[in-house]
Structure formats: C-alpha cells, structure tokens
Amino acid sequence: MELVERSVRSWLASGKESELEETVSGVTNGKITLVDVVKALGPYLTSEEDEIRTKGVDFLSSVLGKCPPEKLNRQAVRVLAVFYCSKLEDIETTTPVLKGLSFLVKFPPVDSSDATDILSALFKHIRMKALVQSTRFYVFAIVDTLLGKHLKALQTMGKEFLTGYVNLAEGEKDPRNLLVAFAVARTILTQFDISEKIEDFFDITFCYFPITFRPPPGDPYGITADDLKKALAACLSATYAFGRLGIPVFLEKLTAGSPTTKRDTLQTMSLCLPVYGASVARDLGRKIWSSMKLEILQPTDPQTESEALSTLQVFVRTLQGTSEDIVDLAKDICLECIDVLREPEKAQAKAAMKVLCEFVTVSPMLSRFSISQATQHLVGLFHNPDEVPTRPAVVLLLSDLVFASRSASSRTSVSVSPSGEDTKSDLPLGPAKDDLLGVFTVSLKTSNTAEPALQALQGMVTTSGLFSDEELGFIVHAVDELIQPNDIEEISENALSLLSDISVNAPHHVADQTLPLFFAQLPDRAPAKEAQEERAKYRRALSALSTLCSQPTLFEILVVRLTTKLDLVSRSTAGLSDTEPVAAYAHSILTAISKTLSSKVEKKAADVPKYVDRLLPWLFKLFIEASTSEGSSVLIDSRVLRVAGRIVSLVVETLVLERQQRFVDKLFGTFLDGNVQEITDGLLHASGDIAFTPLDPAANADQRQAVVLFAAAVMPLRKDVAIPAKDLSSFLQSIVVWADSERSTQIQREATWHILASIVNKHTEEKSVASFLAILLDTYRSSRLHNCDVPADARRSIIKLWTWVTKALLVRTHPIALEFVNCLFELLDDDAVDWDAAQALGELGSGDDVLTKRNFAVIKVLHAQKFFNSILPRILEGAKACDGSRRESAYLVALASLINAVPKATYSTQMPSLMPLLLRGLDLPDPAIRASIIATLTATLKDGTSDNTAVSLYASTLVLAMLKNCIFADTPEPRVRIAALRYLSLLPGAVRYDLLHPYKANVLKELAKTLDDPKRAVRKEAVNARTNWYKYNG
Amino acid sequence: MNGEVFNPNPTVFALSKRSGRKSKFETGQSLWIDNDSQLEHTEEDSEEESIDQDEIYDLIRSIADPEHPNSLEELRVVSAEQIDVGHNQVTVEFTPTVPHCGMSTLIGLSIRVRLLRSLPQRFKVDIRVKPGSHQSELAVNKQLNDKERVAAALENPTLVETLEKCLDTAGMQNDLYT
C-alpha cells in the first residue's frame, strides 16, 4: 500500500514511466489491488486543483491500460465504470476519463448494463467539437469495442443509441478517427433497425464521398486514401435503404467530378447497386443510364470507360434481378445502343457495341436478345447497297460481338450436350450463326473487310460446338480462296491462324483443301539466283506451311512432303554452275520443318518423339549420302547442316532415357565404326567402295561436315545415357586432335566444342573424363594452349575449345574449373592472344544454347554469380594498373565482356567501383567492346530498383562519352551509335535534372546531328533520345 | 478540355500496318533466310537510307488528338499520302475531322513541334490544312507556317502543356508494332 502511495506521489511529480511500470507489475503479480491504487489516488482524484485531478485520473487510466484482463473482477469493473461515468461531468478530466473507459470496456467482466450506462453518459456529456483528435479517438474506440461485445444491449437502447451516436460522429474530419467511425457505421447500418434514422446516417456517411484525402508526406499513421475509400464504400453499400438517397449523389459526382472521382464513383456504384436492389435500380434506372451513357459514349479516358462498362454490367444485372422477362429499361438501353449503330464507322458505335457486349455476358436471356437485335441490324446494314463503304466497320463491330459471346458461352456451356443439335440452340450465337457466316464469307472477298472477317471467323470457330464439320469445310474453302497463292502479296497471318484453329478439330479440311495449294507452290528445282519473285513465292509458301502444320496429322504430311522435296531438290544440281540457290532452297525447306518442330517441342506436343524413327533416319541417309558421294552436294553446306542439326537436336531432346540410349548406340556405331545402316535404319547399306569415317583425322572435307549432325545429336543427351565409346578418355582426346587439325573448318570446330562441353559436363564423375581433363591441363596446355610457336589463328581456336570445356565445368561449379580459368588468366600476358583470352574470360559467364536445362546439362544455381565473384577482384586488380599498357586494356576487355555476360544482379552493388573502369573501356577502339559496355550501362539504368548514385556521380562524363559514340563521323558502326543513343534516351529518366541541366542545350544540339544519320534505325533512336531530353525539365 | 466539344462522334479508322517498307528477305532479294538480328544486317551494308514519306508518317501518326483518346492516325487526320518529301523540303497536309474544328491549329502545332524536334535542321517544313477541309483554312495555315507566330505560341506555358500531352504518345509507334 505504501509502495503504491509512493509511486503515485513520485509519478505525479515526475511523470516517470518507471513508476507506472512498478505499479502495474505490482497489480500483475497480485501484491497490489486496483482498489489500493484508487485509495492511494483518493486525494488526487478529488483534488480541487484541475491539474492534479487530471493527473490522478490519468494515472489510474494508464494503470488500467496495462493491467492484465483477469485482474479485474466484476465488482471492480462496476466501481470503475460508475466512477468514470460520474467523472465525465468534469470537463477538465474528460481526456483521461475517456482513455480509461476505452481500456475498461475491453475487460470481460463489463456487462450490458455497464455498456448502456457508459454510452448514456457519453451521449449526455461529451461534446465532440470541443475535444482534440486523440480524445475523440477514444470515444470512437469505446463505441467500437462495445458494439463488438454488447451488440444486443446496444440494440435494445434503440433510438437513444442511434441519435447519440449520430451526434458524436457528426462533423468528424480526422482520417484516423474516420477509419474507426466508418467501421462503426457499417456495423450499425447492418445490425440495427435504422429505418427512422436513415437520413441522419446518410448525412454522416455520404458527406465523405468521394474521398479526396491525400496522406501528407511521411505520414506516420500510414493511412492511405485507399483504406478510407474501402471503409467508406463498405458503409455506403451496407444497406438497401440508402438507395434512393445515395444514387442521386453518385450521379451528381459522376457528372461533375474529375476522372479520378468518376472512377471512384463508378467503383462504389458497382459495390452498392446490388445491395440497393432491383426496385431502386428500376425506379432510378433511366437517370442512371443517362449518366452512365455519357461516360461510355463520350469517354474521358479508356480507364474510366472500362470502369463505366463494368459498372453498367452490375447495373443491368441488378436491374434484371430475378425477373422472368427482360426488363423494359434493359430493352430500351439495348435498342438505344442499336440506334447508335446506325453509323457504324463512328467512334460512338464502337462504344455502343461495348455496351451490347456487356449485355451478352449478363444473362442468357439478355444475351440472346441483344445478339439477335444487334446482328439483325448490322447484317441488314451490311447487305444494304448504300452502306457498302461502312462494311469494314460493320464487320469489326460484329467481330467484337462474336468474341463477347464466345466468352459468355464458354462460361455457361458446362451443361452443353455433345450431340450437336441441342448445343446450337444453347449457344448465344446459335440463332445468328448462318447470317454471320454469310456476312463474313462475303467479307473475305474484299480486301478492306477480309482481315476483320478473318478475326471474327476465328472467334466463331473457337466457340466450341458452334459449327458442324461441313460448315468448317466451307470456311476453309472460303479462306483458301482468299489466300489463293497466285495473286497475293502476303499471306495474312490471321488467315493462317484461323486455319490453324480449324485444324485442331478438323485437320482433314485443311489437309485436303489448303495444304495442296501451298505444296504446289514449291518448285522441284531451285529458282535461279536472279529469280527473286519465285524465291519470295516459295518462301511464303514454306513459312505458311510451317505455321499451319502444327497439328499432328498435318505435321506428318508436312514431314513426308518436305523430305521428299528436299531429296529431289538436292539432286537437281546437275549442270548448274552455281549451286548456292539450291543450297538456299534446301535450307529454307529444312528451316520450315525445324520451325514447326520447335514450336511443337515448346508446346510439349506428344507426337514429336516418334519422329526419331520417321524423320531422323531419312535425314541421316540424305546427309551421309551427300557426304560420301562423288562431287559436292548442296547438303553439306554449313548453313544447311546447321538447320538439319537443329532438327536432330529437337527430336532427340524429347526422347526418354532408353530411346536416347538406343539412338546414341546407333549413332556411335555409324560415326565411329562406319556402320551406316544403323542410324539410317537400313535405308543405307555399307558398300565396300566408300567408307563413312567422318571422325578420322584423315577424312575428306565432305565427310568431316557430317560431324555437325553428330554433335547435334550428342548435345541433348540425358546425363544417364552412357556414351558408347570404348574408352571415353581416348575418344575425347581424339575429338580434340580432330578439332586441332588444320583441315577443320569453323563450323566443324564448333561442333567438336559442343561435343566436348556436353560430355564433360554430364560425365565429369567418370574416371575416364577426369583423366582426359588431367591430360588437357598437363600436356595439352603446355604443348598447345601456352605454346607461342603455334600460329595465333590456331591458338584462338584452342582458346575457344578451352573455354567450352571450362564452361562445362563451371556451370556445375566443379572445383577443377578454377585451374582451367587460371590458364586463361596466364594468357593475358601473351601479346599474341591476350584479347582473345580476355574475351574468353567474359564468355565463361555467359549463357549458351548447349549447356542448358533443355539439353539436360548439369547446372548449379548461381554458378554465374560464384564465378563472377571469384574472378572479379583479380580483373579489377589488373585493370586498375592504369598504365595505358596493352595488358591493362586486356583486363578492361575481360571486364567488359564478363560484365556483359552475367546477370545484372551480380554486379549492381559493385557499380560505383566499376563505373570508372567501364568509362575507360568506352575509349577502347574495338566497337564490339564499346557496344557491350554501353549495353551493360543501359541494363543497370533500366532497372529502376537499383540506386543510380553511381550514374549520378559520373553523369556528366557519361553524357560526353555517349555523345562521342553516337555521331556518325566518329563512330561508323551503327550498332554502337544505336546503343549510345538508347543510353542517352534513358538518362533523363534516371538522373536528377539539376545534375544534367548544364548539358541539356549541348546534348540537344549534338543530337540534332544524329537526326540526319544515314541509317534509319539510328535515326529512330535519335528521335527518341532527343524527345526525352526536350521533356527533361526541373 | 474545357468548353465546347467540336466533334463529339468522330469516325475512327483501323490502324494500318507498319510502314509498307519490305525487308530484303520478303522481296526475295537475299538468298538465305536470315535468322540473325536486323542489327547485324545493317552492319553489313553501308548504303544510305534517306528520310522518306513513311518515316515522317511514323513520326507523327501516333500523336494524340487533343479532343479524343485516339491518335491522329486513327482519325485519319494525317496519312502517309498527305506527306511530301523533297530535297530539304517537307510538306505535311492534315485533315481536320470537321470543318469548324477549333483544335486544328493545336493539331498543326503539335505536328510542327514533333517535326521540329525530330527532323534534321536542313529541312524546311510546311504544314497545311487540306484545301477545303476547314472553314478558316488560310488563318490556320498562316499561323502554322509563320516562324514568329509559332515561337510566340510556344511561349505560352498552358499551350505547351497541352501540346506535350498530345506529343506524349508520339513515340509509342515504336513499341506498338515491334
């Protein structure tokens, strides 16, 4: 007891928090009771001096606030409640009393009589206007808590409570209090009988609409306008009784407000209308529609328009309610829109169609009505000879309608039976189908209506169950007439995608009618070099075929027809002096297959794996024949082989483990042992005269080319596929020797790198591979890589090979990789190949098409980051030498190519230290390096998240460097100019204006020169950059 | 836009495709299908591509109409055929949607400013209303082609603000079709 008295005294004097804590802990552990506290406070609570009394009450309230709930019994609560209620009369102590009450009402022993007493006292004594925000907050908190805990008791208070609360809440302005007030209002509106007080509640809620609150900068309370909007919207949509009063308010705000207010109003209306109900919507409907109409037919901006459309949908749905027939108003709106469609080419017609499209989604009944009305009108218009000029617009409008009803039917067609007849009548488009089909097929015959018609047809075709097989055939026929390949310039993409969509369900129509048209366009002999038109023609046909033939049946046809064609074409070189056009034709044919295949693989089509037996043997036969035949065949052209390789890779990639194993066994049997019948499935037989030994170092140039296909087949092998070489180590060594041969060409070397990288990466654990790596690091390194006597050209290839092997190890973060990296670092001191080694270091961090997840390579996450972090310090060290030596430049080159290769997250934090080096790199003469440095800088700029302090620091230097790189006279490479201009166009968005202000005039002047660049692509970037600098203002 | 709306219900046309220029591949000029990026393509040939009708059209087609949320292209206020490029001389003709359109000068001015910023200084640019398409054709033409008047108009901050709003979308052409 004395303890309490002492604490009280010292708290009143000092206000120290610790005294309060002491008392609270006393209460918590039972040493002190609250009664003791009250007793100790006795004299202060009744003191004559205002200040002491206030402090006394405050102490009590503060203790109460920290007191654990079980420490107060019923008795104590009652006493405190009575005490506080009586204290409310005392104006001086209002704040601490309310604070105490806000804590007290949370205690469980408070019962309903306390609740009503407290509220009555509040209503009687509190004048909100006289209180500050924090005090008013206590009032709202008290009401909120009591509403939550003693709803019943409050309901029985009835009118007294409602009137009292309205008086309290009236005129509140602070967002913190409003947030609570809105929650309270929502509870009252939903839980109380407010029929008599509806206007009062309307006044204290709708007066806040729309919320225009903007939180002050650095607002510690973190209340956003959005929080308030949501809370208020919950109030406004709490009761149907607001309907008649609320709608006029909404409409007024909608007409007069700013775009933001309009959107806010529309969103709130969407919430409220369903609550207000059908009868309100019907009574006030005409007014609502006439306001909404303006927002849709003459929209302020697209955002508001789409908001208005979705509100309209809610409105119509509410209007319609559960009514059996179409409500008059809905009908009128629909007809009004159709009236607007009289001028289909005008902007409002589009908007009106949007309204109708919303109708389509509301209910099946309205959908049928609006579709039949709209199609009837528009189809009539279409066939009216006076309206021919508006046909494109009519078709566009109908196409919108088709797509809207497609999405409507996909939502409702769950119960549709598959039996044909019935489904048609269920689909909203069903009754109008024939009319529409007529309009669209007629439209296909005129060029300005063909494109929209194709889109509309696509919408209809993809509405499941709409068309019969016969009708689909009819459509295919009509489209074929459009793309009759003789007289068209370009084949419409829309036509192709429409045909593709049809082929999903009815491939036979496309196979029978369309494909022959295109196949007929492919000549058996390649057009001569000068025959540009014919070349363009077969290319169009091929590209159309590859787009069309994704569907399994069609793809099979494509493969059969094109491989036959390829065979024919490749043999037709007799008597030609220039075989290049033939090779180009073969290349185009193979590209068509590979494009389709690639899109199928991406879509994980199930029919790809079977082509290992159907397509690949054929391909291998063609190419092995070509490489072993007398005289050069066009097929061994590197470019042709590359595409063929892509096809092989794509198919092998999709095989399961066993099939890959079977395939690779045959592959090695053919390429290593010369058993050509294996990989060609017996299409070829080993004949005594010509041996197929492409991997023999002595093999002739033609046979060597076949290794490209071999590499393509090895690349996508799974990790668990055993490489069927007798001794893997000596096989790999022989590949290296083969690659090092002077007779190897670039593409052949590339093939070997891919083989090495792929096998090393997937089989690192095997002893034979380890011994191969050891040989590389030991004898190969000293005799080839580091041997200055080897010609520089050969060494460049060796560096490439080395890079690939290193990369294969790096991506799986194998420890031995670092030794390989070290060997490259040592080369930076070698004048002959230093820059190549430097670039190789960068390439190590970059991605490629060989070591990928798709190719089943073993890849560890974050390997690029680890690599980057391990070698960056070393490169920085070397680059900082700053002596202008060749060695320093080599390090800069390494840095530039490395940084360009790795993801930007790896280096963005290091940017401040990298920036000076990169800027020095911009002075290097090599354009490729400058382009990659600029690309790096651009990547860091674009990423808005990383802080641009480094850029700001060097902004002026950057501007000058970029200006130098974008002028035609100084920089002949368009690539660099484009990169520099792109960077300049981004700078204004990233750097504070005041930093670059001094340069603005100069930049604009210099950029004016770039506007006259000889290259169009450069000029385009120049215009962008200059525009951005014009707009750059403080 | 406060005040009067001059044409509440304009005709909206579909956007045309990218400019009619064809790549060498499409015309069959090149022998091989180029899978490489276009950039490398430009690297190889050093031939000069001069500024043509399509390029200027690309510059102005996406300028926004001051009255509607549509581009000048969509409203057919400008078209490629109405642009004439000579040696150091460009003439741009535009068609207001209605003859009493009070926005014509603003549209013309926005074309003028866009070209001022995007064309090399050697070009002399003439901007005209299509003959017979506007009731005060002469006045508009005069305003648009008088250096002093244009400069004076650009001193007016409210006007410049409206202008910038129209020009905001002008660069969108690039993103729209690529």
Side-chain angles (χ1 to χ4, degrees), chain A residues 347 489 539 1012 1016 1019, chain B residues 10 22 31 49 55 117 122:
Chain A
E489 273 284 281
R539 264 187 211 155
D1012 216 359
R1016 193 168 285 130
R1019 289 199 296 266
Chain B
K22 281 192 172 173
L31 203 51
E49 303 158 328
E55 188 168 339
R117 292 176 180 182
R122 64 187 165 91

Side-chain angles (χ1 to χ4, degrees), chain A residues 641-868:
Chain A
L641 269 167
R642 224 174 246 150
V643 204
R646 210 176 303 143
I647 295 177
V648 173
S649 295
L650 282 167
V651 174
V652 175
E653 178 192 324
T654 59
L655 299 180
V656 291
L657 180 62
E658 306 86 74
R659 289 194 84 174
Q660 278 201 343
Q661 186 69 60
R662 229 184 307 152
F663 174 77
V664 82
D665 288 344
K666 290 192 223 163
L667 182 78
F668 273 69
T670 304
F671 277 81
L672 261 56
D673 308 329
N675 299 328
V676 288
Q677 74 276 17
E678 288 197 35
I679 196 72
T680 58
D681 266 348
L683 290 172
L684 277 185
H685 289 288
S687 57
D689 328 333
I690 309 154
F692 183 63
T693 51
L695 282 169
D696 187 336
N700 68 21
D702 287 1
Q703 287 206 15
R704 294 180 75 98
Q705 283 287 68
V707 175
V708 175
L709 290 188
F710 180 71
V714 170
M715 257 180 341
L717 290 181
R718 287 162 195 269
K719 183 174 172 290
D720 298 322
V721 172
I723 301 298
K726 278 169 222 106
D727 175 10
L728 196 50
S729 170
S730 54
F731 168 69
L732 292 173
Q733 284 174 56
S734 72
I735 295 279
V736 172
V737 172
W738 192 87
D740 276 357
S741 156
E742 281 162 24
R743 296 168 52 214
S744 292
T745 59
Q746 182 66 17
I747 185 177
Q748 292 165 9
R749 290 213 175 97
E750 268 170 35
T752 61
W753 303 335
H754 296 168
I755 298 172
L756 288 172
S758 191
I759 295 182
V760 167
N761 173 272
K762 290 166 196 167
H763 302 274
T764 324
E765 302 90 0
E766 285 174 38
K767 265 198 195 119
S768 47
V769 174
S771 75
F772 166 70
L773 293 175
I775 291 168
L776 277 189
L777 274 175
D778 184 33
T779 47
Y780 188 72
R781 166 197 188 174
S782 53
S783 70
R784 303 287 297 171
L785 184 69
H786 283 176
N787 186 352
C788 300
D789 298 335
V790 179
D793 274 342
R795 287 183 77 190
R796 273 185 204 116
S797 301
I798 294 169
I799 288 176
K800 282 275 185 197
L801 184 148
W802 195 269
T803 315
W804 274 100
V805 174
T806 314
K807 202 148 115 179
L809 296 165
L810 270 178
V811 294
R812 54 179 299 162
T813 55
H814 195 281
I816 203 173
L818 287 180
E819 284 184 51
F820 279 84
V821 174
N822 276 337
C823 298
L824 285 174
F825 264 112
E826 283 161 28
L827 283 176
L828 289 181
D829 294 325
D830 190 325
D831 280 354
V833 289
D834 51 355
W835 281 36
D836 302 277
Q839 266 170 338
L841 278 172
E843 275 163 38
L844 286 177
S846 67
D848 57 73
D849 300 336
V850 180
L851 298 166
T852 57
K853 284 258 182 259
R854 258 179 89 159
N855 282 341
F856 306 104
V858 185
I859 298 176
K860 290 268 170 68
V861 284
L862 296 179
H863 64 86
Q865 279 82 340
K866 275 183 198 145
F867 169 66
F868 180 79

Side-chain angles (χ1 to χ4, degrees), chain A residues 499-500 502-508 511 546-558 596 600 603 607 611:
Chain A
L499 289 172
S500 304
I502 295 177
S503 74
V504 172
N505 290 319
H508 53 280
S546 80
T547 323
L548 267 182
C549 296
S550 236
Q551 198 273 340
T553 328
L554 299 185
F555 184 63
E556 200 163 341
I557 299 174
L558 179 81
T596 317
K600 280 171 79 75
K603 280 184 260 165
D607 61 324
Y611 287 95

Side-chain angles (χ1 to χ4, degrees), chain B residues 58-82:
Chain B
D58 277 346
L59 288 174
I60 57 173
R61 66 204 288 186
S62 304
I63 297 176
D65 185 273
E67 203 170 84
H68 305 284
N70 302 94
S71 67
L72 295 186
E73 178 187 13
E74 278 176 295
L75 300 175
R76 290 286 157 91
V77 174
V78 295
S79 66
E81 298 76 46
Q82 287 176 290

Side-chain angles (χ1 to χ4, degrees), chain A residues 11 21 39 46 170 184 186 230 288 399 403 405 657 671 692 716 804 897 907:
Chain A
W11 188 82
E21 293 293 334
K39 271 186 195 155
T46 52
E170 214 166 19
V184 170
R186 159 113 191 148
K230 274 194 197 121
I288 299 178
S399 141
F403 279 98
S405 43
L657 180 62
F671 277 81
F692 183 63
W804 274 100
S897 56
Y907 59 80

